[in-house]
Amino acid sequence: MLSSGLTLIFSMMGVLNFAHASFYMVGAYVAYSLVGVLGFWPALLLAPLAVGVMGAGFERLALRRVHKFGHVPELLITFGLSYVILELVQLVWGRTAVPFTPPPELQGSAFTIVSHASQGMSLVLGKAGPDVCAAAVSCSNFPLTKVFMMAVALLMLLALWLLLTRTRVGLVIQASLTHPEMVEALGHNVPRVLMLVFGSGCALAGLAGVVGGITFVTEPNMAAFIGAIIFVVVVVGGIGSLAGAFVGSIVVGLLQTLPLTVNGSLATLMTSLGFTVTQATPGYPLLRLTMAEVAPILPYLLMVLILIFRPKGLLGTRED
């Protein structure tokens, strides 16, 4: 969800927004404040709009002024904005986590995966009862909030793709980046179009923040926690490619989760092949690391390999 908004801004404006994850955090906190007054579902709509207005205002008052000086000033001003937002969030909502819980409709489990020793795996809609889990080898509940997150992410991607490729507004947006003079000659306000694009990208980040806020923990470090990984997703998938952002998200997600189920290490593999591995073996501190321990760095290693062997990313296109 975050990568789609970041990709929209970069592909349409050429701006790599370092404050994108900060708008994600603001979306969560604004929704948390609105929930107490309006309820969750109105907050789900109003919080992204508020974040989008903030983003559009930032583009109009600050980013546009440095755009003519090149990409480095743009990076620096968005980088500085991320710290400003962090301090403002801590001043308004405090430095500790806030109790942003999902609404009653999204509480509980969507389904339960039950594993039996003799019958294999079975799927139970909703939360399985204690008697079912007691007779099983393992019993894993899948939260409704994550089903909701996946549904919103897919709908967001589909709506964004349809907007950019199947509507007149999308054609004007794309033409404003490649042929701004021609678009202006046709009577369109290019600076206003780019302002709306930046605001829309920030609104998508705000929407992700609302959904992420009820799924994870809403606290000031949530932007730093997820900020780095979204740039990995964009680089791996291909900068400027919405399809690449989708594929990159899946690849990075698998790299972060599947290795957690593997307790083996290179030392274990070498031992199974007949080699003797002891503490005196060269490189033993690295050989003994399990896949679960190195899982957090695997996406960044993949990004390095992508940059070396395929700089345009998996689905990106190299510009002439």
Side-chain angles (χ1 to χ4, degrees):
M1 297 174 69
L2 274 168
S3 302
S4 60
L6 184 63
T7 299
L8 174 67
I9 292 174
F10 185 86
S11 61
M12 296 296 104
M13 300 180 62
V15 177
L16 197 56
N17 182 16
F18 269 96
H20 197 68
S22 299
F23 287 109
Y24 159 80
M25 175 176 62
V26 171
Y29 275 99
V30 170
Y32 164 73
S33 298
L34 292 176
V35 163
V37 180
L38 303 174
F40 175 76
W41 300 108
L44 180 65
L45 298 176
L46 294 178
L49 292 177
V51 175
V53 171
M54 295 177 193
F58 170 73
E59 194 281 335
R60 175 64 181 85
L61 299 175
L63 188 60
R64 187 179 302 181
R65 297 178 181 272
V66 303
H67 182 70
K68 58 184 177 182
F69 298 111
H71 293 303
V72 174
E74 291 174 343
L75 291 176
L76 292 176
I77 196 170
T78 57
F79 187 72
L81 177 65
S82 64
Y83 283 96
V84 172
I85 292 177
L86 175 61
E87 293 300 325
L88 288 176
V89 165
Q90 291 178 341
L91 286 173
V92 176
W93 287 282
R95 298 179 180 273
T96 57
V98 296
F100 190 16
T101 57
E105 298 88 347
L106 297 179
Q107 293 180 4
S109 300
F111 55 84
T112 303
I113 300 175
V114 182
S115 178
H116 300 274
S118 58
Q119 303 174 1
M121 296 178 61
S122 61
L123 191 67
V124 179
L125 294 180
K127 187 174 182 179
D131 53 340
V132 176
C133 290
V137 176
S138 64
C139 196
S140 178
N141 296 315
F142 196 84
L144 268 171
T145 52
K146 291 194 175 182
V147 174
F148 180 67
M149 177 187 294
M150 289 190 293
V152 172
L154 291 175
L155 289 174
M156 174 194 291
L157 181 65
L158 178 62
L160 198 57
W161 179 76
L162 291 175
L163 172 68
L164 294 177
T165 61
R166 296 292 187 271
T167 65
R168 184 171 179 271
V169 174
L171 295 177
V172 171
I173 291 174
Q174 296 185 65
S176 297
L177 176 64
T178 56
H179 302 86
E181 295 85 2
M182 181 62 68
V183 174
E184 286 187 341
L186 293 174
H188 299 285
N189 189 328
V190 173
R192 182 181 298 170
V193 170
L194 297 181
M195 180 184 70
L196 293 176
V197 167
F198 193 88
S200 299
C202 294
L204 293 179
L207 177 60
V210 179
V211 180
I214 62 171
T215 307
F216 308 114
V217 180
T218 301
E219 44 107 10
N221 289 325
M222 62 188 300
F225 177 76
I226 203 171
I229 202 67
I230 63 172
F231 287 99
V232 175
V233 169
V234 171
V235 170
V236 170
I239 295 178
S241 171
L242 285 176
F246 177 72
V247 173
S249 297
I250 294 177
V251 171
V252 171
L254 292 174
L255 277 179
Q256 285 184 311
T257 53
L258 288 183
L260 297 177
T261 64
V262 180
N263 290 322
S265 63
L266 289 177
T268 306
L269 177 62
M270 293 174 65
T271 301
S272 65
L273 295 176
F275 296 95
T276 302
V277 180
T278 64
Q279 293 185 0
T281 303
Y284 177 76
L286 294 177
L287 295 176
R288 67 178 179 81
L289 293 176
T290 64
M291 289 295 294
E293 291 174 329
V294 301
I297 68 171
L298 291 180
Y300 302 99
L301 292 178
L302 176 62
M303 182 182 69
V304 172
L305 294 176
I306 288 289
L307 290 174
I308 293 174
F309 297 106
R310 191 178 173 84
K312 63 180 181 180
L314 296 177
L315 298 179
T317 55
R318 186 186 297 274
E319 296 183 357
D320 296 331

